Amino acid sequence: MSTKRITNNVKKFKWTDELPFESLRVVVAILVALVVTFLVLCFASPNPVNDFVSLLTYPLKKPFYFGYVLVKMVPLCFAGLATLLYFRTGLFNLSTEGVFYFSGVVCTYFAVSETFMTGNGIIDSAICILMAGISGSLLAMIPGYLKAKFGADEMVISLMFNSILYGIGFWIIKNKLAITGVSGTSSAPFIKSAKLSYIIPKTQVHSGIIIALIMVVVVYILLFKTKLGYSIRMTGLNRNFAKYSGMSAFGLFMVVHIIAGFIGGMGSAVELLGIYDAFTWSVLPGLGFTGALIANIGKNHPIGVLLASFGISYLRASAQLLANSNPVIDIKLISIVEVILTLLISSQYFLRKWREKQIVKEGQANG
């Protein structure tokens, strides 16, 4: 009797259940995107099979190449984590782009100044990252306030805000933080103690990847182990939930923007101090829409964001490495994969009919 009861309590695995089905959707979407990429190569390349195999395997040939993948993954991970918090709250906010840029300017202000640096690597890099994170929080509060207080469209506000932050940040770099008498848009060089250290020999992998992994864990705990995280998740499903959870919608929106801005600001400092010797960004880093892409592919889950960051970084790094020797493959080819993944994964209709048919079959079998 007890054995039978235990057997009945064990839930049978079904592809139609929410988690397996969403995982299946992502895998099928990836396969479709890769098939389309191969078809494009068939028209553009004289040897499409070899080029396709190279695209999928090139970063595995040398430790330096794979390290390049990990380095490229770090900013994507931070952008995805910041954006998923917006998405979880039901907000389509792309301000991570401007926050990332301007927080980098703030990081640079501290990283080039001997006044704030102590000579201790851990303390100096921590100061720069913390200041960038705080500035990111303060900046993110502006579109958050306009949305929560006046109901302004967060996507329009964030896109305009990005341009404003870029203009102000670019002016500060060029007129206040650059080396006098030197043309270009580069700042003065970072003080060495502010730089993050390399952690894997013969690669550019720096300690920022550890910070990114820690932030994945922190966001996971926040979303799934705290009352605030529960409020964020439920408010994304129902805007009226916030007031029933004991927190006003205004307060919740502001808290989400503060946390997301801090993550974006941290990511900017980690990226700069990890692989740059000075601030050299002459354009926005493009992490607004990329953050949305990563959050979308990762299904707004921290672990999913980490995996999506690695996958997109792998393909981008492979294309950039191959571009030096292969005229057919470049980063634009990977944009095909990214667009297809976004369309398929975000579509509510993708594989929906298959799921409905499977549910009917399961019902008939159980009936």
Side-chain angles (χ1 to χ4, degrees), residues 36-309:
V36 172
T37 303
F38 176 72
L39 293 177
V40 171
L41 285 174
C42 287
F43 289 99
S45 171
N47 200 337
V49 175
N50 284 348
D51 287 344
F52 186 69
V53 172
S54 295
L55 181 65
L56 297 182
T57 61
Y58 197 76
L60 302 176
K61 291 185 176 182
K62 293 182 179 180
F64 181 84
Y65 294 163
F66 191 77
Y68 185 60
V69 173
L70 298 180
V71 168
K72 298 283 288 183
M73 180 187 78
V74 172
L76 301 184
C77 187
F78 276 103
L81 290 174
T83 307
L84 81 83
L85 289 175
Y86 294 133
F87 286 2
R88 281 282 188 174
T89 321
L91 302 169
F92 195 80
N93 190 319
L94 301 175
S95 62
T96 303
E97 179 105 354
V99 166
F100 208 88
Y101 185 90
F102 197 88
S103 295
V105 175
V106 173
C107 169
T108 301
Y109 174 77
F110 287 91
V112 301
S113 175
E114 294 184 359
T115 303
F116 299 100
M117 298 294 98
T118 66
N120 183 293
I122 296 177
I123 295 176
D124 290 351
S125 57
I127 290 173
C128 297
I129 293 171
L130 181 62
M131 291 299 104
I134 293 174
S135 68
S137 291
L138 296 175
L139 293 170
M141 286 174 64
I142 297 174
Y145 179 82
L146 295 175
K147 171 64 179 178
K149 189 69 175 179
F150 303 107
D153 188 301
E154 68 272 14
M155 184 177 74
V156 175
I157 293 296
S158 62
L159 292 176
M160 295 175 63
F161 193 54
N162 290 341
S163 298
I164 294 171
L165 290 178
Y166 167 71
I168 297 174
F170 186 83
W171 183 87
I172 293 173
I173 290 294
K174 195 168 182 62
N175 294 280
K176 300 297 181 181
L177 298 178
I179 300 176
T180 305
V182 178
S183 61
T185 57
S186 174
S187 72
F190 299 143
I191 295 173
K192 288 186 178 181
S193 60
K195 294 272 294 174
L196 296 175
S197 58
Y198 295 142
I199 59 174
I200 299 180
K202 299 181 180 180
T203 72
Q204 291 181 312
V205 180
H206 52 81
S207 55
I209 193 171
I210 299 176
I211 301 175
L213 294 175
I214 292 173
M215 291 310 301
V216 169
V217 176
V218 169
V219 173
Y220 177 86
I221 294 173
L222 170 68
L223 282 177
F224 300 104
K225 303 296 181 180
T226 67
K227 182 180 177 181
L228 174 61
Y230 181 73
S231 298
I232 291 173
R233 289 184 287 122
M234 292 300 103
T235 302
L237 299 175
N238 184 350
R239 287 290 180 91
N240 295 321
F241 180 84
K243 61 183 179 181
Y244 297 115
S245 67
M247 177 180 288
S248 67
F250 177 85
L252 183 63
F253 282 178
M254 293 305 293
V255 169
V256 167
H257 280 80
I258 289 171
I259 298 173
F262 189 85
I263 293 173
M266 281 185 63
S268 176
V270 168
E271 172 74 351
L272 282 171
L273 302 179
I275 63 173
Y276 291 86
D277 294 320
F279 187 101
T280 57
W281 296 342
S282 58
V283 295
L284 288 170
L287 290 173
F289 286 103
T290 302
L293 167 71
I294 297 298
N296 200 346
I297 296 175
K299 304 304 296 182
N300 293 328
H301 192 288
I303 306 301
V305 162
L306 178 63
L307 296 176
S309 301

Side-chain angles (χ1 to χ4, degrees), residues 346-360:
S346 62
S347 173
Q348 296 180 354
Y349 298 97
F350 181 53
L351 294 183
R352 191 178 73 173
K353 288 187 177 180
W354 175 85
R355 187 185 191 187
E356 292 173 349
K357 290 180 180 179
Q358 292 300 116
I359 291 175
V360 170

Side-chain angles (χ1 to χ4, degrees), residues 2-11:
S2 61
T3 304
K4 184 177 180 180
R5 187 177 298 140
I6 292 173
T7 303
N8 291 335
N9 289 335
V10 176
K11 187 176 180 181

